[in-house]
């Protein structure tokens, strides 16, 4: 036994030829060729071919090899030999050698898996999540786990090299509004009172700046009870960064350096820098979104000036109501069929619009003067053979519609340059926004510092107040949000009041922060990139659940652990809680 060296399956190379080795792993494939049994043995590092020859192998070992099946766990001893030249497998790093087994032991048998572990077949997602421990054995998922590990490793190295201090913050915190519902945790010791799981460490990192830490970072787990989608998860991980005595440029320089290091070390891609910058106003106007994809050139134009005197009622009505008219030229779009145009109208209506117009060739042509038609073409840059798509509505809805139409046109017409990485900063942003009901809310979060030169606008025109807030975006994904923070108590209270919070609520929810602002708080700011989305980009998936080891479904179910689930009545009694079932829904 002492003559055998334990070696990882994926590490075997021609240099091991002649050595006696011991391998551990799972059976990826087994082929019986009558007297010769070939086993592809897989571990985390790769696959090795094992040959069991009936003529010179212990009969018991050969019998065992005859009985093994896919996903059995084996221990194999044998001698490494070079393969004959015509049997070399250039697709495998271990393809120059094979191991002739002298001893074989089944450490654990396996049932037939519910889906193939090997191969390119993608199992149905619900089955993958129910058997996640098997899904993670697949080569694609193993590679994602490795990339995620490397991202964390590089991240620690980078921020440590820039003199940031890693500090852990609490998981049980206080419920405060930060943009989504909190997950609440009832307190057994204090009946009727609750902790909240952190949506982010926002207030804690600001308090760390008050504490004199100056440069803080953390790979932080965050939780938000919000509606999910392919690039969003209830449980997610972000890189949390905060620093004192800084401005936006300090944040931009560090983030571009960190992202550049990730892309270089993981993808061997040199990213250009500095990244371009786009104001939120221009992003919404030109691209209809605050996370524009610049891998295609389609730009949206404001047609309000061109159509200010139009008699086309669809456009006239929107403008008279204080709305906008926005248009976009589709290169070569004159060849779009009526069915394709109807599909785009469906996309627009799905975003809340009443419809979508097109020029020329649409039903509105007869209501536009030749000068107006020429002005539309000039504003959108439309040429011969192009089609102009037009939305007329409230500004925010028109922007949303044109953003969706822009993305849909690019996808359908193959305009996306898939081999590009287009990073950019969206900066500055606005301090306030409106929610779906038209109520005022914060654009980023309520701790964001307004631009000093816009302070006089807060009372009269709050929607025009710009903020020291910034996102960075790549290829249509928002990867991070950040801002410089309010560090003056009076200004922070004023923002809370504008958002409609009473003095009592302000004191109850944020009194601890406001009091801290009376003890010498430095100017500070930071950013929080989403590591899950960054790993999505690095691994080429558009599903955030692919890059989380044990994710929930899009409806927030844990299919592996069958959660959420009822708890014992005794536990509820200890927490002084009872379950009130919602009324049954009528058909």
């Amino acid at each position: 036994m002492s003559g055998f060296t334990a070696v990882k399956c994926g590490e075997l190379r021609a240099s091991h030829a002649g050595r006696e080795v011991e391998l551990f792993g799972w059976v990826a494939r087994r082929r019986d060729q009558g007297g010769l049994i070939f086993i592809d043995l897989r571990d985390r590092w790769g696959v090795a071919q094992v040959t069991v020859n009936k003529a010179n192998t212990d009969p018991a070992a050969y019998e065992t090899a005859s009985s093994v099946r896919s996903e059995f766990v084996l221990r194999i001893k044998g001698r490494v030999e070079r393969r004959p030249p015509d049997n070399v497998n250039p697709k495998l790093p271990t393809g120059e050698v094979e191991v002739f087994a002298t001893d074989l032991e089944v450490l654990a048998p396996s049932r037939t898996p519910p889906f193939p572990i090997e191969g390119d077949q993608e199992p149905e997602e619900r089955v993958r999540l129910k058997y996640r421990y098997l899904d993670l054995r697949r080569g694609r998922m193993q590679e994602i786990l490795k990339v995620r590990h490397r991202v964390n490793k590089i991240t620690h190295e980078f921020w440590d090299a820039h003199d940031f201090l890693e500090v852990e913050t609490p998981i049980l915190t206080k419920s405060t509004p930060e943009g989504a519902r909190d997950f609440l945790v009832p307190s057994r010791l204090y009946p009727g009172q609750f902790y909240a799981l952190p949506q982010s460490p926002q207030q804690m990192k600001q308090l760390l700046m008050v504490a004199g830490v100056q440069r803080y970072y953390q790979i932080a787990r965050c939780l938000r009870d919000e509606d999910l989608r392919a690039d969003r998860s209830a449980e997610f991980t972000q890189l949390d960064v905060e620093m004192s005595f800084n401005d936006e440029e300090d944040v931009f320089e560090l983030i571009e350096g960190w992202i550049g290091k990730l892309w270089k070390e993981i993808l061997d891609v040199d990213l250009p820098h500095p990244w371009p910058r786009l104001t939120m106003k221009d992003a919404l106007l030109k691209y209809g979104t605050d996370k524009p994809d610049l891998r295609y050139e389609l730009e949206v134009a404001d047609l309000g000036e061109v159509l200010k005197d139009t008699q086309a009622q669809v456009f006239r009505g929107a403008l008279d109501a204080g709305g906008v008219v926005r248009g976009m030229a589709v290169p070569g779009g004159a060849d779009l069929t009526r069915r394709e145009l109807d599909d785009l109208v469906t996309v627009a209506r799905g975003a809340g619009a009443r419809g979508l117009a097109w020029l020329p060739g649409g039903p509105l042509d007869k209501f536009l003067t030749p000068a107006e038609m020429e002005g539309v073409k000039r504003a959108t840059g439309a040429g011969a053979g192009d089609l102009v798509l037009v939305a007329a509505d409230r500004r925010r809805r028109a922007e949303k519609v044109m953003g969706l139409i822009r993305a849909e046109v690019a996808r359908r017409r193959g305009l996306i340059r898939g081999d590009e990485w287009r990073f950019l900063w969206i900066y500055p942003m606005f301090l306030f926004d409106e929610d779906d009901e038209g109520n005022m809310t914060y654009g980023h979060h309520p701790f964001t510092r307004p631009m000093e030169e816009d302070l006089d606008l807060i009372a009269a025109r709050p929607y025009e107040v710009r903020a020291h807030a910034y996102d960075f975006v790549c290829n249509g994904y928002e990867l991070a949000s950040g801002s410089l923070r309010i560090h003056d108590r009076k200004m922070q209270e004023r923002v809370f009041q504008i958002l409609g919070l009473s003095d009592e609520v302000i004191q109850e929810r944020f009194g601890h922060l406001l009091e801290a602002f009376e003890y010498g708080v430095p100017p500070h700011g930071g950013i929080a990139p989403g590591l899950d989305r960054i790993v999505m980009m690095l691994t080429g998936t558009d599903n955030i659940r692919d890059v989380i080891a044990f994710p929930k479904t899009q409806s927030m179910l844990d299919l592996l652990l069958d959660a959420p689930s009822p708890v014992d009545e005794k536990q509820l009694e200890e927490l002084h809680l009872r379950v009130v079932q919602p009324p049954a829904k009528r058909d």
Side-chain angles (χ1 to χ4, degrees):
M1 189 172 189
S2 60
F4 290 89
T5 303
V7 177
K8 300 179 180 71
C9 294
E11 289 183 343
L12 286 175
R13 298 293 186 272
S15 59
H16 289 92
R19 292 172 59 180
E20 293 184 317
V21 299
E22 184 177 35
L23 304 176
F24 298 87
W26 288 261
V27 176
R29 297 182 185 85
R30 173 187 166 278
R31 305 179 301 281
D32 191 336
Q33 297 188 358
L36 281 178
I37 296 174
F38 297 98
I39 295 173
D40 290 342
L41 196 68
R42 179 191 71 241
D43 64 10
R44 202 186 89 198
W45 292 270
V47 175
Q49 178 172 290
V50 176
T51 302
V52 186
N53 189 334
K54 186 175 184 179
N56 53 24
T57 301
D58 178 79
Y62 186 83
E63 186 66 26
T64 299
S66 300
S67 67
V68 302
R69 296 293 182 266
S70 294
E71 301 311 310
F72 276 39
V73 181
L74 306 183
R75 177 180 66 84
I76 291 175
K77 293 180 180 179
R79 184 180 179 85
V80 182
E81 301 287 353
R82 283 182 173 271
R83 296 194 196 188
D86 55 346
N87 285 339
V88 169
N89 185 350
K91 296 181 180 180
L92 290 177
T94 62
E96 291 185 89
V97 296
E98 57 187 325
V99 176
F100 283 87
T102 56
D103 187 34
L104 186 148
E105 178 185 359
V106 175
L107 299 179
S110 173
R111 293 165 52 187
T112 301
F115 49 79
I117 306 299
E118 298 296 321
D120 298 327
Q121 179 180 339
E122 186 75 5
E124 195 271 324
E125 186 176 57
R126 292 185 67 86
V127 180
R128 288 177 58 198
L129 297 183
K130 180 176 175 60
Y131 297 95
R132 188 62 162 186
Y133 46 85
L134 296 178
D135 187 41
L136 291 175
R137 284 188 197 173
R138 298 192 302 128
R140 168 71 173 148
M141 299 304 293
Q142 290 277 310
E143 288 304 312
I144 289 175
L145 289 177
K146 292 175 187 176
V147 169
R148 182 147 197 158
H149 165 75
R150 291 186 66 195
V151 166
N152 287 357
K153 182 175 183 291
I154 293 166
T155 296
H156 283 298
E157 291 172 350
F158 180 89
W159 295 98
D160 181 67
H162 286 83
D163 209 22
F164 280 73
L165 190 66
E166 183 179 14
V167 182
E168 295 179 347
T169 53
I171 292 297
L172 294 176
T173 65
K174 182 180 179 68
S175 179
T176 58
E178 290 192 27
R181 300 180 190 90
D182 290 319
F183 284 102
L184 300 177
V185 180
S187 170
R188 178 182 61 84
L189 297 176
Y190 303 95
Q193 301 190 53
F194 295 82
Y195 300 102
L197 302 180
Q199 294 187 34
S200 75
Q202 180 60 48
Q203 294 187 57
M204 303 310 300
K205 64 186 177 187
Q206 290 192 245
L207 292 172
L208 286 171
M209 296 303 101
V210 180
V213 171
Q214 291 194 225
R215 287 195 161 201
Y216 143 91
Y217 87 100
Q218 178 186 189
I219 295 179
R221 296 286 288 167
C222 305
L223 300 102
R224 294 180 183 175
D225 185 2
E226 58 186 349
D227 296 333
L228 303 184
R229 59 190 185 213
D231 65 340
R232 180 184 287 173
S233 174
E235 298 175 81
F236 60 97
T237 305
Q238 68 184 35
L239 168 66
D240 211 41
V241 176
E242 197 80 5
M243 62 186 101
S244 298
F245 310 113
N246 66 297
D247 60 18
E248 289 91 344
E249 298 301 325
D250 299 310
V251 176
F252 295 171
E253 181 179 358
L254 283 164
I255 289 296
E256 290 182 21
W258 170 62
I259 289 290
K261 186 175 177 66
L262 289 177
W263 256 248
K264 180 61 178 177
E265 294 197 17
I266 294 175
L267 300 180
D268 195 25
V269 169
D270 292 302
L271 295 177
H273 65 89
W275 300 344
R277 302 175 189 184
L278 193 65
T279 67
M280 173 66 87
K281 182 178 180 180
D282 283 344
L284 294 174
L285 168 61
K286 294 181 178 180
Y287 306 107
T289 177
D290 58 359
K291 44 184 180 292
D293 189 340
L294 301 188
R295 291 175 299 168
Y296 46 96
E297 306 299 337
L298 302 176
E299 285 194 13
V300 179
D302 188 350
L303 303 180
E305 181 64 25
V306 172
L307 299 175
K308 64 181 180 179
D309 297 319
T310 187
Q311 296 305 306
Q313 189 54 44
V314 171
F315 304 147
R316 176 82 273 137
L319 293 171
D320 288 347
V324 298
V325 181
R326 299 281 165 86
M328 179 189 73
V330 179
D335 64 2
L336 285 168
T337 66
R338 182 55 192 257
R339 180 172 181 177
E340 289 175 313
L341 289 168
D342 287 343
D343 287 345
L344 294 175
V345 170
T346 300
V347 171
R349 286 176 175 163
R354 285 178 291 181
L356 184 74
W358 58 90
L359 308 168
L364 294 179
D365 284 9
K366 59 185 178 182
F367 297 105
L368 296 181
T369 67
E372 288 172 340
M373 187 70 78
E374 188 60 33
V376 167
K377 292 179 181 179
R378 186 169 56 252
T380 59
D386 296 347
L387 189 73
V388 179
L389 301 174
V390 185
D393 216 313
R394 289 171 44 206
R395 180 180 63 83
R396 295 293 285 124
R397 183 175 291 159
E399 289 167 348
K400 181 179 180 181
V401 168
M402 293 309 296
L404 292 173
I405 293 297
R406 177 178 180 268
E408 186 69 11
V409 167
R411 183 185 66 81
R412 288 176 177 241
R413 298 185 72 82
L415 302 178
I416 303 173
R417 298 184 291 272
D419 58 347
E420 290 188 3
W421 298 103
R422 298 295 301 272
F423 285 89
L424 72 151
W425 291 101
I426 305 296
Y427 163 80
M429 303 169 76
F430 292 111
L431 187 64
F432 300 109
D433 200 352
E434 62 179 45
D435 61 20
D436 292 337
E437 285 74 42
N439 300 315
M440 182 175 290
T441 184
Y442 36 84
H444 181 46
H445 57 55
F447 315 108
T448 301
R449 190 191 309 173
M451 290 272 189
E452 290 75 5
E453 57 268 36
D454 290 355
L455 290 177
D456 292 340
L457 301 176
I458 283 184
R461 303 200 302 277
Y463 287 121
E464 296 182 25
V465 178
R466 295 168 301 159
H468 289 280
Y470 35 83
D471 289 354
F472 79 79
V473 172
C474 180
N475 295 2
Y477 284 95
E478 177 193 309
L479 299 183
S481 289
S483 70
L484 303 186
R485 323 300 188 187
I486 298 171
H487 60 279
D488 174 77
R489 174 170 181 149
K490 290 183 178 179
M491 173 56 69
Q492 185 64 80
E493 287 179 316
R494 179 65 180 135
V495 170
F496 287 148
Q497 291 165 355
I498 291 174
L499 292 171
L501 301 182
S502 68
D503 291 343
E504 292 76 14
V505 170
I506 293 170
Q507 184 59 37
E508 176 189 349
R509 295 183 178 179
F510 303 105
H512 53 279
L513 184 68
L514 296 174
E515 183 177 5
F517 281 5
E518 297 178 358
Y519 290 93
V521 54
H524 58 280
I527 195 167
L531 287 184
D532 305 299
R533 290 185 184 178
I534 287 171
V535 177
M536 282 173 59
M537 305 213 74
L538 289 167
T539 56
T541 179
D542 59 2
N543 188 341
I544 199 169
R545 292 179 289 282
D546 284 346
V547 304
I548 299 172
F550 296 102
K552 307 289 188 293
T553 67
Q554 200 161 339
S555 55
M556 288 177 47
L557 294 176
D558 187 328
L559 300 181
L560 173 62
L561 300 179
D562 193 23
S565 58
V567 298
D568 292 339
E569 192 67 33
K570 183 178 180 181
Q571 289 177 278
L572 293 176
E573 290 175 1
E574 289 177 338
L575 295 168
H576 303 276
L577 296 176
R578 65 185 179 90
V579 175
V580 179
Q581 295 291 349
K585 294 182 179 180
R586 295 183 179 180
D587 294 335

